[in-house]
Amino acid sequence: HPKDCCQLPSLIDEDLLRNCKNLYGGEQLQRTLIHERGKCFVECALNATGTLVNGVLDQAKILHVIVTEIQNDPAVMQLFQGSTLQCMQSVATVVNEQPPATGCSRLGVDFVGCVNIRNFLNCPPHVWNNSAQCNNLKQFILQCPQPF
């Protein structure tokens, strides 16, 4: 699992995300519901933290949360900040090109997914598990087309 390779804090508090998952039917989902409910889980969590307001990501609030939560590790904080700024631009472009969807917005899940993949691929050496399995996973992901 990527979290076993790159020991970074979660962008969204796990308890908060778990509560949001319970609001939308729990984690055990049928394949056809995963995408829609996944958008709702993340949107719910971002709304609860005030980092997503009226369907708009609040960049200043996100950066404030990062500084507050990750102040004890400058390399990790810099990684999160850089990924956040890159992903804010990437997802804004993608979402603006998409026709409005019904249900929950994909903005939150696209943003969090973008930050997670960028953080994983640029994981600082001091939190990277330098094993063959992790290095192979990283190489595999690098060969995939990047969505953002």
Side-chain angles (χ1 to χ4, degrees):
H1 192 277
K3 287 185 178 185
D4 297 331
C5 297
C6 187
Q7 306 284 319
L8 290 174
S10 177
L11 190 61
I12 300 175
D13 178 75
E14 296 296 329
D15 289 335
L16 179 59
L17 191 57
R18 193 173 304 107
N19 288 339
C20 287
K21 286 179 179 178
N22 289 336
L23 286 174
Y24 287 94
E27 295 192 42
Q28 302 304 318
L29 301 175
Q30 298 171 354
R31 198 96 175 114
T32 56
L33 299 176
I34 290 173
H35 183 68
E36 182 58 36
R37 289 198 182 159
K39 293 188 300 184
C40 294
F41 298 162
V42 175
E43 185 176 275
C44 167
L46 294 177
N47 281 334
T49 62
T51 53
L52 181 69
V53 179
N54 297 324
V56 177
L57 288 166
D58 184 336
Q59 179 175 307
K61 176 76 173 181
I62 294 167
L63 292 172
H64 176 74
V65 168
I66 291 168
V67 169
T68 304
E69 298 292 321
I70 312 176
Q71 59 188 332
N72 61 340
D73 191 331
V76 170
M77 184 169 61
Q78 186 175 9
L79 173 66
F80 268 86
Q81 289 172 327
S83 294
T84 294
L85 295 174
Q86 289 176 331
C87 292
M88 288 290 292
Q89 291 179 324
S90 297
V91 300
T93 303
V94 171
V95 169
N96 287 337
E97 294 171 359
Q98 300 296 322
T102 58
C104 298
S105 168
R106 62 178 269 200
L107 178 62
V109 77
D110 284 356
F111 171 72
V112 171
C114 176
V115 169
N116 286 341
I117 198 84
R118 287 184 187 271
N119 284 351
F120 178 83
L121 293 175
N122 298 292
C123 189
H126 71 284
V127 292
W128 178 254
N129 176 355
N130 195 23
S131 68
Q133 283 182 317
C134 289
N135 291 328
N136 287 340
L137 178 59
K138 186 175 187 177
Q139 286 307 309
F140 178 79
I141 291 172
L142 282 168
Q143 293 172 17
C144 297
Q146 296 301 308
F148 303 106

